[in-house]
Amino acid sequence: SQQGEEDPQALSIQEGENATMNCSYKTSINNLQWYRQNSGRGLVHLILIRSNEREKHSGRLRVTLDTSKKSSSLLITASRAADTASYFCATDGSGSARQLTFGSGTQLTVLP
Amino acid sequence: DAGITQSPRHKVTETGTPVTLRCHQTENHRYMYWYRQDPGHGLRLIHYSYGVKDTDKGEVSDGYSVSRSKTEDFLLTLESATSSQTSVYFCAIGASYEQYFGPGTRLTVT
């Protein structure tokens, strides 16, 4: 079963616009992470936010976490065509092997 | 791809045949994972390892087995491949909580 569910499933924007993707999860977490996957490639880690953090920035990425609502959002500012990819949230809970549970992803298309 | 390789990268096999996928890392990380990725399902954990000879089941382990005899190698075996195991398989390694993924193996079972 999927712990995280992304919304929307697909998003198409113009270059230069901001893109916002949302993730909801079901159980308590230690951390929430976002990954990017370009077509035909493996996933690439973008950012991790801990359960006691509310917001985190990394370059053009801004992640928020609301543990009371069990939700997170990923904002990509000033998007570029190269940002076209699928984005996944992943959560980890109490598993000792740091297992991650992934959502089904948001497909972002940035049009030039 | 963070020192992770997967082999083979593509494989077509027939139903009922055994298949072994290999994941090799050069990072000396303790944790290694096998996932499958199917349309509409994201990534689902098959098996994972937390050390040499230490492995455990994930969410979708039925029909799969794993072995880890060396830190750098994690093998995934389909004892008798079925069409439902047609998928893209990703290996990942974990340092702290982040995971780093290999390039994937596309497996087709006919």
Side-chain angles (χ1 to χ4, degrees):
Chain A
S1 62
Q2 298 297 313
Q3 163 76 313
E5 294 294 335
E6 284 90 345
D7 171 57
Q9 290 187 331
L11 178 62
S12 183
I13 60 174
Q14 295 293 135
E15 209 164 23
E17 294 180 338
N18 295 341
T20 299
M21 289 159 270
N22 303 296
C23 169
S24 60
Y25 56 91
K26 299 174 183 174
T27 62
S28 61
I29 62 171
N30 293 325
N31 308 285
L32 186 142
Q33 303 179 45
W34 285 91
Y35 288 79
R36 182 188 75 228
Q37 184 180 31
N38 291 91
S39 181
R41 305 291 295 272
L43 278 70
V44 174
H45 179 262
L46 294 177
I47 194 166
L48 178 150
I49 186 166
R50 302 185 192 286
S51 59
N52 62 355
E53 297 177 309
R54 292 296 166 258
E55 187 170 315
K56 200 163 184 179
H57 296 254
S58 176
R60 294 186 295 113
L61 305 180
R62 172 178 169 254
V63 171
T64 61
L65 179 64
D66 186 336
T67 54
S68 67
K69 295 182 178 178
K70 293 186 170 58
S71 68
S72 172
S73 68
L74 172 67
L75 169 67
I76 304 174
T77 60
S79 62
R80 307 165 181 169
D83 294 327
T84 294
S86 292
Y87 292 81
F88 296 88
C89 67
T91 55
D92 67 73
S94 58
S96 61
R98 302 170 181 175
Q99 302 164 58
L100 295 180
T101 303
F102 286 84
S104 54
T106 292
Q107 172 60 51
L108 173 66
T109 302
V110 181
L111 303 169
Chain B
D1 290 322
I4 311 169
T5 57
Q6 293 184 231
S7 59
R9 294 292 314 280
H10 301 270
K11 185 170 183 67
V12 179
T13 192
E14 293 183 350
T15 298
T17 59
V19 177
T20 295
L21 309 183
R22 179 180 183 241
C23 177
H24 179 79
Q25 63 151 328
T26 58
E27 306 296 321
N28 201 35
H29 286 324
R30 175 184 177 190
Y31 298 99
M32 297 185 76
Y33 310 84
W34 275 108
Y35 295 90
R36 60 178 289 172
Q37 185 175 34
D38 304 288
H41 287 278
L43 271 77
R44 292 181 291 176
L45 182 64
I46 305 172
H47 281 279
Y48 61 94
S49 170
Y50 45 95
V52 173
K53 296 192 186 334
D54 291 323
T55 65
D56 207 345
K57 297 178 180 180
E59 178 189 356
V60 290
S61 60
D62 287 349
Y64 302 95
S65 63
V66 291
S67 65
R68 191 171 179 196
S69 59
K70 298 185 291 185
T71 298
E72 57 267 33
D73 289 326
F74 192 32
L75 304 180
L76 176 70
T77 297
L78 291 66
E79 301 291 347
S80 178
T82 68
S83 59
S84 65
Q85 293 176 313
T86 292
S87 187
V88 180
Y89 291 86
F90 288 98
C91 174
I93 61 176
S96 55
Y97 288 95
E98 298 89 350
Q99 293 185 13
Y100 301 94
F101 285 77
T105 294
R106 183 172 295 276
L107 176 67
T108 302
V109 183
T110 60

